Every structure is written in structure tokens, then in C-alpha cells.
């Protein structure tokens, strides 16, 4: 059998950088899909970039002085200001370039924060950055809670998930009782040229979106769902699979808004039930059938609205 | 030499920033800082100044933008006051720890509550320990000259620290004074192009803002503290060169009629001008009174202060902020700490005055001094408080 | 090679705590965290790259000469994503 079988050969992947801009030796947890998202974001951009990062998991795992995992120029100042620091880097380079003090070369400026640093404490700075029109790609790596400080709820924690500050109890049997903040819609409401959701499970889609954002003449916002085995209480080896389920159940749809035009990037023929996604996640272990159904109804409703938005043609 | 014009101090300061060829200005409006940044945005809009004016959505972002632009190697300026400084204070401490040069014009204003837009030093005392170089100004010319001096010092590779220029709100920011302007050539001669120690650019990859484990944090802080102390000779030298250029001599501690003075008054900022009038009056009456003006607040010019006051019998320190629940006002606490080990030291009295814009006259200062000497009071009192 | 942090004096700290050696965290071997180790079967491998693409620690790389994928066990934390995601079941996790 073996000699008749045609031997498979490793062929290069198209449009895929083999460089690693965040080097091994970083201290992310086993199976961290967030650092995987970062890996793909960096590969999509390449070396001519500068990153401003918010305090959080990615900052802590990558920069214990005197060590750094970064192979790109990188700055961390505080928790809530990645967007503002990136605005400053962009403005500084703009002035220096205009005055001929640095080469007239395009350098991509990226701001990156977790869901806490983006949807909560860094929300204002992000809104300011978008409104002022800085040419910055803002990437939110969303693991749906304050994982770095020990799994506290953020406004990006999904409904029904337990965290250390949204526990289940007799009076609050559902865990977190409010819906996840819809950041891409908020970014879109600013009239931002480009905004999208992404997930490292769909790495080609993710890289394509980052490259699209890079070409935009203005701000862009990419919201990346990043499975956190530690915080979600799932086995590390299933980090990729849960990303797939989040998308295929419609809990976290992949879509983009380009100059006001909404577009679904992955449209399953039929959505899987949300219970497929909840199953096996420790943070959802307490959910009963009734509450699961309530969430299912809302997910379906939101999905239908999204499909509708994405089918509308923008006026010419 | 430049021309002399009658001009509002805030506008003159903005003109100075323009002459320094600043690259990025990031600011959020707050009284009484507004005239500085309004004028800078006009200079940018008209094309007179080639800089990015970043109209941020908060002071927190103002200081964050400044950190980003300074890290990118751009000459950076901001201005704020009181609540604005309080909001940005988190990043104020980080800017110095990361050794990011920039210049801040601080229109000194009282902190809330009650809300007050008027002058005192409670805002700047809040960031006393932030690791910035901090200077105080007595008049418009000092403010104007300080802009050039501050960029020169901040960006000196031996320093690489942010500088805060304290300008008493309204008392100084909004007054019209005769100010001798610099020429573009003078500014270019005095301030070399900004060559940062490190900068964010892909040609040389650096990591800025790493975190410190307990094994390294103390060393990092020691290094930062030494950097601030090491700025002292650079600050002095830059003032000496400014004197050669303009004929105006500044020092960390300045003396007024201190010859054979038995009693000295020490203050910072515009209160010194008022105190000098009080000294004039008392000298006319044959009293041996003199004035010590503290221009440089951080790094504290310890030896200059010792030399200035150790020979006196009595010292009245004028504080413009309350350090709630502390033994004295913040300036007095420092002076007492410096003098504790000295054999020859004056009796030190503390009066807190001019809170939240309360007017302080030369007569007030004479009264403060007379009362302090008569009562030999320990601890502080707030001058003129009713009840 | 960077000194361990507990040996660095204050004079040796770069101004502002800047790190000038990119990627020097690679001296920290996260492979010591591992309790399970991926075992690769090159005969079963369909050369699809999925293990390489999905590794959060970037420890898998192609050896084009030998036409196989190789693991850098200095850094592999043993998360098991490569084994779980392998469509050909060419990777299995074993006790390390």
C-alpha cells in the first residue's frame, strides 16, 4: 500500500509570512488562542509596524524586564490608553515625516488591548482615536473577561457566563445577566472606514481583515474573539474548536463593515444550537434549559438582524 | 535680540512653543490653560507652526498621546490645570518613569471640591513625587524663557525627562506683561534637534514599558531617581547659556535683598513678586528682611537652599497648598527636612496663603511675618481664614 | 545573552527600562511547563500546515529538506492543540 501511495510534499502556504514577530518564550497559558491571534495579526502586517499595547494578558506574558518576546517596536504605557498612545505615535511620525526627519515610508501603527482595556476602561480613548481619524489599526483581543487579574467580568463577558465577579447565586442564577457590548456596531456608528470581527480559528479571514485594515486611509477596528482555556474552563487543546463553535452557532458571527456596507464573511447554511457551544465550557456549566433557550432566542434574533443588515445594499 | 511686546503671558508661552519647532501638541481644554492651546491650534491652523495639534477627548489621553509622540521621537508639548492634571496623573508618573522628554505648561489652579477655577498649588503638589523636573515662574518673561529652557533640558540625552512649568493660573496666565521675544535663530541655537535615547521605529526594534518583578523594580526606581538628580547640573548649565543668550540670569534659588537679613521669606511662583514688595516696605522701615525665591522645585536644590537660609534667624515659608493632616504645608516640610541636620538653622514658620484664588497683598505678608514672629507658632496656619 | 533580573544593578538598567534586544525572551524555555508531549507520525502527516498555523507558541516549523514538521521542545508547553486539530491524526499526546 505505502509504496503505491503518492507521497505528500510540504508546499508553501500562499500569502503567509513565515516570520515570527512574537517569539517563543512568552508566558501565555497553554492553549492560549489570544496569543495565537496576536501571532497572526503580526504576520499579516509584517515588520514595518509599531505596536502600542494596553496592560493585560498579552502585555504581561511578553515583557518581564529585561526580557521581551517582541520582534517589532512595541510600547506599553497603561491599561486604558493604548488608543491614545497609538494616536501619539501616529501623530509624531506624521509630523516627523512631513518635516523630512524620518524616511517617507509607511509604518503601520497598531493599538492592541484586551476586552477590559477596550470595551471598558479604554472605551473613551478608543472612541477619541476613531473620531479624530488617526491612521491606526485598533485590535481588541477579546477573551471575554479580565483574565489577567483572575477572570472578572467585563462588559464583553457574554450573558450567562460566570466569572469571579459574576458568580451564580440564589439571587442571580444566570451568572452575568447582561448582553455583551457590541463593539463593532459602536465602531461602525463612528463612521469608521473599516471594522470587522475575527477569530484565530479562521486565520485566513483574520489575516485578510488585518491586511484590509492596513490599507485603509484612516482608523480601523478589528474585534477578535480569543478563546481562553483558563478563564472559560475548557481544555487547552480545544481552544481552536471553541472558536469554530462560537462562529458556527452565531454567537460570534464573522462580519465586516466597510465604509458603511455590512458584509457577512461566513454564513453557515444552518446555525448550530448555542448549546453545542456552551457544552464543555465550565463558565456555562450552570445554565439550565430555560435560560439556554432564552439565549438561543436572542442569538437567533441578532443573527437575523445581522443577516438583514448585511443584505442591504448601501446607496450609491 | 528679539523685540519686546506687551502680550498676555499665555499667548507669549504659545509663541515660544512655536519658536521651539514643536512636533506634537496634545491638549484638552481647561481653565485657565485654554489660551495657551487655543493659540497653538491657531498657529497650526494658519500654517505658522508645522506641528500636529491633537485635540484629545480627555487629559488622560493628552498625556498618553504625549507619551506616544515622545517615544516616536517627536518634540512634544501639552498644557493643563488642576482637574486635568488629576485626571492625567496616572500617566504623568509613567512619562517620567519611561524617561520620555516633553514639556508641560501647568496653569496652577486649585483642586475641587468646592470647584474653583482660581489659583493655588494644590494641583502641582499632587504630582510632587512624579519624577518630573518642576520649575516655578514669577513673571511673564520667566514663563516665556522657561519654555525654551524646558525643551533644552528635557531633551538633553543626559536628562531625558519631562519638565513641568508651573504658572500661577490667572495671576500670571491671564496678565499682560512686557516680554522680550526670542528670534527663531536664538531658539535654534539654544535647542539642538531632538535626538532621543531610544525611539519607536522599525529600523531599531525596542520594547518600551516592560513590567518589573520585585527583583528589578527597586533598581528601576533607583535609576529613575538618579536621573532626576543628575538633571541638576544640566538645568543650571542651560540657565547659564540662556543668560549668555538673553542677558537674563536664572538660578534654582534666587535671592532678593538678603544681605544681612535676619528674617527671610521663602516662596514659589507669583507670590514672590508680592513678597518682594513686602520686603521693600519692611526694609524701608529698617527691618532686616529678605526674600528667597525657590524656582526649581524638583530636583530640590538642597545645597542652594541651605546656603540661602542657614544664616538667618527666622524663616517664613509661604505654602500655597494644604497637605491635609500633615505637620506642615508641602514646601515647609521639605525645608524643615533639609535643615534638620544643620547646626545653624533658622526658626521655621509656616503660613498657607492664597488658596483657591484668595488675594495675597504685601500687607498680608507683613502681617503673616509679624504674627509668626510674635506668636512663635508651631505647625501651620491658613492666613486670613474667617472664624 | 541577557542577565537574569536578580543580577542586574541599577546602573545597568537602560533609561526608562527600555529593552534593546528584540525577542530575547526566547532564552526562557517554556518547555519545562509541559506534562504531555506531542508525538509526530510523518507517515500519517498530510502536510496540511494546520499544526503550524494553530500553535500559540510557534514551536512547529517545516523542515523542507526532510519534508516533515518539527517541534521545538524548548518551548512546546504541551497544550495539545496540534494533536487535537490534526485532521490526519498524525500527532498524539504522550506523557513527557
Amino acid at each position: 500500500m505505502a509504496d503505491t501511495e503518492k507521497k505528500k510534499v510540504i508546499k508553501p502556504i500562499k500569502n503567509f509570512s513565515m516570520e515570527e514577530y512574537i517569539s517563543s518564550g512568552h508566558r501565555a497559558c497553554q492553549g492560549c488562542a489570544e496569543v495565537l491571534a496576536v501571532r497572526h495579526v503580526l504576520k499579516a502586517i509584517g515588520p514595518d509596524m509599531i505596536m502600542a499595547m494596553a496592560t493585560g494578558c498579552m502585555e504581561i506574558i511578553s515583557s518581564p524586564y529585561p526580557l521581551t518576546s517582541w520582534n517589532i517596536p512595541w510600547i506599553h504605557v497603561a491599561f486604558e490608553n493604548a488608543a491614545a498612545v497609538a494616536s501619539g505615535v501616529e501623530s509624531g511620525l506624521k509630523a516627523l515625516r512631513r518635516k523630512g526627519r524620518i524616511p517617507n515610508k509607511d509604518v503601520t501603527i497598531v493599538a492592541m488591548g484586551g476586552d477590559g482595556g477596550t470595551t471598558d476602561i479604554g472605551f473613551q480613548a478608543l472612541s477619541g482615536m476613531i473620531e479624530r481619524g488617526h491612521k491606526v489599526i485598533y485590535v481588541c483581543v477579546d477573551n471575554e473577561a479580565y483574565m489577567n487579574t483572575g477572570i472578572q467580568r467585563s462588559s464583553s463577558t457574554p450573558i450567562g457566563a460566570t466569572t469571579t465577579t459574576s458568580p451564580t447565586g440564589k439571587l442571580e442564577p444566570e451568572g452575568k445577566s447582561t448582553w455583551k457590548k457590541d463593539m463593532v456596531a459602536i465602531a461602525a456608528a463612528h463612521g469608521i472606514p473599516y471594522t470587522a470581527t475575527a477569530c484565530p480559528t479562521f486565520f485566513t479571514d483574520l489575516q485578510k481583515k488585518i491586511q484590509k485594515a492596513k490599507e485603509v486611509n484612516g482608523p480601523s477596528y478589528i474585534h477578535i474573539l480569543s478563546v481562553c482555556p483558563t478563564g472559560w474552563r475548557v481544555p487547552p487543546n480545544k481552544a481552536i474548536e471553541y472558536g469554530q463553535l462560537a462562529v458556527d452557532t452565531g454567537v460570534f458571527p464573522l462580519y465586516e463593515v466597510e465604509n458603511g456596507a455590512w458584509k457577512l464573511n461566513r454564513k453557515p447554511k444552518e446555525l448550530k444550537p448555542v448549546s453545542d457551544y456552551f457544552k464543555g465550557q465550565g463558565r456555562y456549566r450552570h445554565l439550565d434549559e430555560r435560560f439556554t433557550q432564552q439565549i438561543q432566542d436572542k442569538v437567533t434574533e441578532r443573527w437575523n438582524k445581522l443577516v438583514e443588515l448585511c443584505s442591504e445594499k448601501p446607496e450609491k | 535680540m528679539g523685540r519686546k511686546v506687551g502680550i498676555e503671558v499665555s499667548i507669549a508661552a504659545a509663541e515660544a512653543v512655536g519658536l521651539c519647532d514643536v512636533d506634537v501638541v496634545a491638549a484638552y481644554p481647561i481653565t485657565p490653560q485654554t489660551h495657551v492651546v487655543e493659540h497653538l491650534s491657531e498657529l497650526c491652523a494658519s500654517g505658522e507652526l508645522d506641528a500636529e495639534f491633537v485635540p484629545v477627548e480627555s487629559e488622560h489621553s493628552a498625556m498618553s498621546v504625549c507619551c506616544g509622540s515622545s517615544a516616536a521621537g517627536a518634540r512634544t508639548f501639552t498644557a493643563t490645570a488642576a482637574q486635568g492634571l488629576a485626571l492625567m496623573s496616572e500617566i504623568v508618573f509613567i512619562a517620567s518613569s519611561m524617561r520620555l522628554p516633553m514639556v508641560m505648561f501647568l496653569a496652577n489652579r486649585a483642586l475641587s471640591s468646592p470647584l474653583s477655577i482660581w489659583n493655588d498649588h494644590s494641583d502641582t503638589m499632587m504630582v510632587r513625587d512624579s519624577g518630573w523636573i518642576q520649575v516655578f515662574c514669577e513673571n511673564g518673561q520667566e514663563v516665556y524663557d522657561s519654555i525654551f529652557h524646558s525643551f533644552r533640558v528635557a531633551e538633553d540625552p543626559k536628562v531625558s525627562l519631562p519638565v513641568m512649568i508651573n504658572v500661577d493660573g490667572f495671576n500670571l496666565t491671564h496678565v499682560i506683561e512686557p516680554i522680550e521675544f526670542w528670534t527663531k535663530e536664538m531658539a535654534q541655537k539654544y535647542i539642538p534637534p531632538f535626538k532621543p535615547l531610544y525611539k519607536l521605529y522599525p529600523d531599531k526594534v525596542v520594547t518600551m514599558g516592560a513590567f518589573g518583578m520585585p527583583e528589578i523594580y527597586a533598581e528601576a526606581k533607583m535609576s529613575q531617581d538618579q536621573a532626576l538628580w543628575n538633571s541638576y547640573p544640566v538645568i543650571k548649565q542651560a540657565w547659564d547659556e540662556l543668560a549668555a543668550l538673553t542677558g537674563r540670569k536664572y538660578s534654582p534659588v534666587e535671592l532678593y535683598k538678603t544681605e544681612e537679613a535676619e528674617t527671610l521669606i521663602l516662596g514659589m511662583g507669583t507670590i514672590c513678586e508680592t513678597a518682594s514688595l513686602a520686603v521693600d516696605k519692611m526694609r524701608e522701615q529698617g527691618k532686616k528682611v529678605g526674600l528667597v525665591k525657590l524656582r526649581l522645585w524638583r530636583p530640590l536644590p538642597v545645597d542652594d537652599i541651605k546656603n540661602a537660609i542657614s544664616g538667618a534667624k527666622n524663616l517664613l515659608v509661604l505654602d500655597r497648598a494644604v497637605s491635609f493632616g500633615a505637620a506642615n504645608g508641602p514646601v515647609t516640610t521639605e525645608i524643615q527636612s533639609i535643615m534638620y541636620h544643620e547646626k545653624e538653622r533658622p526658626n521655621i514658620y509656616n503660613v498657607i496663603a492664597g488658596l483657591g484664588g484668595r488675594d495675597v497683598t504685601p500687607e498680608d505678608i507683613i502681617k503673616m511675618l509679624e504674627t509668626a514672629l510674635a506668636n512663635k507658632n508651631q505647625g501651620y496656619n491658613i492666613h486670613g481664614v474667617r472664624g | 545573552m541577557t542577565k537574569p533580573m536578580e543580577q542586574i544593578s541599577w546602573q545597568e538598567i537602560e533609561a526608562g527600562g527600555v529593552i534593546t534586544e528584540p525577542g530575547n525572551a526566547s532564552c526562557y524555555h517554556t518547555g519545562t511547563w509541559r506534562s504531555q508531549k506531542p508525538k509526530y507520525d510523518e507517515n500519517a502527516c498530510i502536510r496540511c500546515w494546520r499544526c503550524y498555523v494553530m500553535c500559540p507558541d510557534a514551536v512547529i516549523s517545516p523542515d523542507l529538506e526532510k519534508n516533515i514538521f518539527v517541534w521545538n521542545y524548548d518551548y512546546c508547553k504541551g497544550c495539545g492543540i496540534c494533536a487535537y486539530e490534526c485532521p490526519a491524526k498524525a500527532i498524539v499526546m504522550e506523557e513527557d
Side-chain angles (χ1 to χ4, degrees):
Chain A
M1 273 271 292
D3 27 322
T4 56
E5 202 175 330
K6 200 175 160 192
K7 183 146 191 200
K8 294 202 170 70
V9 177
I10 301 177
K11 286 185 209 136
I13 332 179
K14 268 187 201 166
N15 303 323
F16 193 94
S17 169
M18 295 301 289
E19 294 294 322
E20 299 295 345
Y21 298 101
I22 174 161
S23 64
S24 308
H26 62 71
R27 298 161 198 221
C29 302
Q30 289 178 320
C32 173
E34 185 160 319
V35 80
L36 178 63
V38 174
R39 186 180 167 221
H40 285 292
V41 167
L42 299 176
K43 278 177 182 283
I45 297 170
D48 284 335
M49 68 171 294
I50 297 170
M51 182 184 279
M53 180 168 272
T55 309
C57 286
M58 292 303 100
E59 172 259 329
I60 285 293
I61 59 112
S62 65
S63 68
Y65 188 87
L67 300 181
T68 178
S69 292
W70 302 100
N71 294 316
I72 46 145
W74 181 92
I75 183 169
H76 157 254
V77 177
F79 195 3
E80 64 284 64
N81 65 354
V85 173
S87 300
V89 173
E90 187 249 15
S91 302
L93 293 188
K94 210 165 152 185
L96 293 175
R97 206 178 287 130
R98 200 167 55 226
K99 294 178 179 185
R101 295 191 189 139
I102 55 169
N104 189 19
K105 181 174 84 168
D106 201 23
V107 175
T108 304
I109 315 294
V110 178
M112 188 180 274
D115 49 299
T118 304
T119 72
D120 286 340
I121 201 167
F123 190 64
Q124 175 181 318
L126 171 61
S127 176
M129 182 205 95
I130 298 175
E131 184 274 331
R132 291 189 301 271
H134 296 278
K135 189 170 165 20
V136 173
I137 308 176
Y138 191 103
V139 178
C140 172
V141 275
D142 177 11
N143 56 20
E144 303 198 313
Y146 292 88
M147 301 308 183
N148 190 39
T149 45
I151 325 173
Q152 293 84 16
R153 66 89 90 181
S154 76
S155 57
S156 202
T157 301
I159 190 164
T162 51
T163 67
T164 54
T165 53
S166 61
T168 53
K170 204 165 66 185
L171 300 179
E172 291 181 39
E174 70 273 20
K176 195 198 179 218
S177 59
T178 58
W179 204 259
K180 183 183 174 80
K181 197 181 271 185
D182 190 348
M183 286 300 292
V184 168
I186 293 166
H190 284 73
I192 196 169
Y194 185 70
T195 177
T197 61
C199 175
T201 300
F202 302 88
F203 67 94
T204 312
D205 175 76
L206 186 156
Q207 288 210 17
K208 225 162 70 189
K209 283 168 172 170
I210 294 291
Q211 278 157 359
K212 217 166 182 178
K214 189 180 161 184
E215 299 310 317
V216 161
N217 189 22
S220 48
Y221 176 80
I222 313 292
H223 193 98
I224 304 179
L225 183 74
S226 311
V227 177
C228 171
T230 309
W232 296 14
R233 297 172 189 125
V234 298
N237 62 351
K238 294 191 178 171
I240 309 302
E241 187 181 41
Y242 275 107
Q244 179 90 32
L245 286 166
V247 172
D248 288 346
T249 53
V251 167
F252 190 85
L254 295 181
Y255 61 100
E256 62 191 347
V257 188
E258 197 174 354
N259 296 317
W262 293 61
K263 189 182 163 195
L264 260 182
N265 305 112
R266 183 176 169 84
K267 195 176 176 185
K269 274 192 184 136
E270 203 175 332
L271 291 183
K272 288 185 174 164
V274 293
S275 53
D276 282 13
Y277 174 59
F278 292 166
K279 205 174 142 191
Q281 290 195 47
R283 61 176 180 161
Y284 290 123
R285 194 169 42 206
H286 60 289
L287 291 185
D288 61 13
E289 224 170 87
R290 190 186 55 86
F291 197 56
T292 304
Q293 189 56 48
Q294 276 178 21
I295 297 175
Q296 178 66 68
D297 293 346
K298 187 95 185 265
V299 165
T300 310
E301 183 194 320
R302 289 175 68 93
W303 170 263
N304 290 338
K305 265 191 198 159
L306 181 65
V307 171
E308 203 178 305
L309 261 175
C310 293
S311 59
E312 280 171 12
K313 294 268 178 297
E315 284 175 42
K316 290 241 163 118
Chain B
M1 193 54 68
R3 66 212 155 92
K4 198 162 192 170
V5 275
I7 188 168
E8 187 187 303
V9 171
S10 289
I11 308 295
E15 287 282 336
V17 172
L19 281 179
C20 293
D21 192 23
V22 71
D23 297 312
V24 174
V25 176
Y28 184 85
I30 182 166
T31 304
Q33 149 266 35
T34 42
H35 293 183
V36 181
V37 290
E38 284 167 5
H39 193 64
L40 277 167
S41 70
E42 281 167 18
L43 293 177
C44 289
S46 68
E48 282 172 76
L49 172 59
D50 187 5
E52 287 294 307
F53 185 86
V54 189
V56 281
E57 82 297 334
S58 75
E59 284 91 353
H60 195 283
S61 284
M63 188 42 54
S64 303
V65 165
C66 288
C67 286
S69 69
S70 178
R75 183 164 289 162
T76 301
F77 178 80
T78 188
T80 192
Q83 304 314 119
L85 183 67
L87 183 57
M88 68 166 63
S89 67
E90 182 201 17
I91 313 302
V92 167
F93 281 72
I94 299 176
S96 50
S97 306
M98 289 180 72
R99 306 280 302 275
L100 297 171
M102 63 183 77
V103 174
M104 180 201 288
F105 176 105
L106 182 63
N108 296 120
R109 162 182 156 179
L111 282 175
S112 289
S113 81
L115 188 141
S116 165
I117 57 168
W118 292 279
N119 170 239
D120 71 26
H121 292 169
S122 53
D123 56 1
T124 192
M125 289 304 157
M126 168 181 56
V127 294
R128 180 189 62 179
D129 300 336
S130 61
W132 284 53
I133 294 167
Q134 295 167 45
V135 294
F136 279 79
C137 300
E138 186 185 333
N139 58 49
Q141 188 70 56
E142 281 191 28
V143 175
Y144 182 81
D145 291 340
S146 287
I147 299 280
F148 302 95
H149 178 260
S150 298
F151 277 114
R152 159 78 186 257
V153 169
E155 294 175 3
D156 188 306
K158 292 193 287 294
V159 177
S160 194
L161 281 169
V163 179
M164 188 182 296
I165 307 169
N166 285 280
V167 183
D168 283 320
F170 291 114
N171 294 355
L172 193 47
T173 56
H174 283 53
V175 296
I176 292 171
E177 290 197 6
I179 291 173
E180 191 172 279
F181 269 48
W182 291 34
T183 59
K184 186 88 196 162
E185 292 68 38
M186 287 165 75
Q188 279 169 348
K189 190 178 161 202
Y190 185 66
I191 310 170
F194 179 25
K195 292 205 176 88
L197 294 176
Y198 307 102
K199 61 176 182 175
L200 283 175
Y201 202 73
D203 61 351
K204 197 168 181 303
V205 173
V206 293
T207 290
M208 291 183 170
F211 82 92
M213 296 287 282
E215 290 86 343
I216 202 75
Y217 187 85
E219 282 70 21
K221 289 294 118 175
M222 175 79 180
S223 159
Q224 182 188 347
D225 190 37
Q226 283 303 311
L228 186 54
W229 285 116
N230 292 344
S231 70
Y232 177 82
V234 180
I235 294 167
K236 284 216 355 172
Q237 197 197 330
W239 267 329
D240 290 346
E241 286 181 34
L242 193 147
L245 201 63
T246 67
R248 289 181 291 276
K249 176 91 182 87
Y250 298 111
S251 308
V253 172
E254 284 166 18
L255 307 177
Y256 181 74
K257 296 192 177 173
T258 54
E259 309 81 29
E260 293 169 30
E262 288 176 359
T263 300
L264 292 173
I265 302 169
L266 183 146
M268 300 196 299
T270 54
I271 207 164
C272 290
E273 203 154 77
T274 316
S276 70
L277 296 174
V279 166
D280 288 347
K281 281 192 181 172
M282 288 187 279
R283 281 279 182 179
E284 277 167 27
Q285 295 161 6
K287 291 175 183 157
K288 291 180 176 170
V289 179
L291 171 66
V292 177
K293 306 172 189 179
L294 190 51
R295 293 201 84 251
L296 182 63
W297 173 231
R298 285 292 185 273
L300 195 68
V302 173
D303 290 334
D304 303 77
I305 294 172
K306 276 185 196 168
N307 291 338
I309 65 178
S310 55
K313 273 190 193 158
N314 301 301
L315 174 71
L316 173 70
V317 182
L318 303 174
D319 263 295
R320 208 155 196 165
V322 184
S323 180
F324 300 102
N328 278 298
V331 181
T332 308
T333 301
E334 300 271 350
I335 305 296
Q336 287 185 332
S337 163
I338 290 174
M339 299 311 290
Y340 181 76
H341 296 287
E342 298 301 300
K343 266 192 190 151
E344 301 279 317
R345 59 170 194 237
N347 300 312
I348 299 175
Y349 305 110
N350 182 200
V351 174
I352 294 169
L355 294 183
R358 186 72 63 90
D359 199 22
V360 181
T361 64
E363 289 70 30
D364 285 321
I365 292 176
I366 293 169
K367 201 174 165 200
M368 287 175 211
L369 191 58
E370 285 170 350
T371 313
L373 293 179
N375 297 350
K376 307 237 173 271
N377 50 340
Q378 299 297 302
Y380 60 92
N381 66 69
I382 299 175
H383 177 74
V385 162
R386 288 182 300 276
Chain C
M1 182 70 183
T2 313
K3 266 192 191 179
M5 63 178 99
E6 63 276 9
Q7 291 173 21
I8 298 172
S9 69
W10 72 263
Q11 292 92 340
E12 292 169 307
I13 294 198
E14 301 279 347
V18 165
I19 303 169
T20 54
E21 193 187 340
N24 62 359
S26 56
C27 70
Y28 181 74
H29 289 177
T30 51
T32 56
W33 299 10
R34 192 175 57 235
S35 62
Q36 288 205 315
K37 193 174 179 175
K39 194 183 156 206
Y40 171 68
D41 176 356
E42 63 172 279
N43 293 320
C45 173
I46 57 168
R47 275 74 179 167
C48 72
W49 291 86
R50 191 158 177 85
C51 55
Y52 164 88
V53 157
M54 292 306 179
C55 178
D57 294 282
V59 303
I60 305 165
S61 54
D63 181 332
L64 296 176
E65 230 165 75
K66 293 186 184 156
N67 192 34
I68 54 168
F69 284 92
V70 289
W71 273 248
N72 186 338
Y73 291 109
D74 284 348
Y75 305 108
C76 171
K77 296 169 186 161
C79 71
I81 285 180
C82 53
Y84 192 78
E85 289 297 320
C86 177
K89 306 214 179 308
I91 306 160
V92 287
M93 297 304 288
E94 289 184 335
E95 290 305 311
D96 195 15

